[in-house]
Amino acid sequence: MVRRYRRTSTLIVCVLVYLALFVAGCRRADFSRPLIVILVPSQDNPFFKAEGEAAAERALTLGYRVRVDAHNDDAYRQDNLIDAAIASNAAALILDNAGAEASIAAVRRATKAGIPCFLIDRAIDIDGVAKAQIIADNHQGAKVVAAEFARAIGVRGGEYAELLGRESDTNAQIRTKGFHSVLDKQPSLKMVSAQSANWSQSEAFQKTETMLQAHANLVGIVAGNDTMALGAVAAVKSAGIKNILITGFDGSPDALAAIASGDLQATTMQPAVLIARLAVDEANQFLKTGRTGKAERQVIACDLVTKANVTDYRDFEKIR
């Protein structure tokens, strides 16, 4: 009985040792794969979450390890995360940056450390540092949704308001210029209020409440993103007002649902998933060949989404 017990114990120990060596070998094999670091502004915002997940999925499919983190639009935190990528000997960096000017030094530092940088969604104010800057055409997207806003209001015209994004954000500035390149040419439309809601739904709700009280004749609200548009929708509903036309920008799942229900007139779909995948594909190409085969700056067109085509889109990508 004692001998049998000893044999069993020895067998168990051997199995455990084998499993430990197997797991250690797997870990070594996993860490032998190159690391792609993906940095986005937020993992809570559905747009940034979608681009981060799309980039990670494509990188894993191509055989890379991935690490996804958020800098929260904080240039100092972004610097620390890029330093961590350098310390981890990352093979490449996919970055939705924390500011067109504030991010230049960090991107340059990563590049000098031998980490090629591929920027998505937001460009920086310099060429020749990143290997690629792949962005949505925010100006074109703003123009098409503004044209739909003007078309839907029609010849009756009237007073409208604008909800702007964070004023320091390059995309917020580009979008408002795109809106006004169309709306300022409409003689029947008059903007009576423009306020920043900092991309926030709660701020947009509060700002819209204020605008509704100050301007009883509003016929529409143009919002710089879907989150603010949905805040405006909620404020209009809360006030019991009907027939105020609202448009957004981004193509978020909640905005698509609001378009389908008739609460939102239209949005512009930013191809976040497509852009993220392109960045990873170009990083992979560069790591294998030393070049991407593409121009550094690449601008991807946005799509207008209305009730007529809303079922063609899901989770920041066109599905048919």
Side-chain angles (χ1 to χ4, degrees), residues 121 135-143 171-172 174-175 178 249-250 268 270 299-300 302:
D121 183 43
I135 61 173
D137 194 337
N138 280 268
H139 189 265
Q140 169 263 339
K143 288 175 65 177
N171 284 343
I174 293 172
R175 290 177 192 180
F249 196 117
D250 279 340
T268 293
Q270 278 203 93
V299 181
I300 312 299
C302 299

Side-chain angles (χ1 to χ4, degrees), residues 230 251-264 307 310:
L230 293 170
S252 73
D254 287 344
L256 300 187
I259 289 171
S261 69
D263 290 332
L264 199 63
K307 200 165 189 175
V310 68

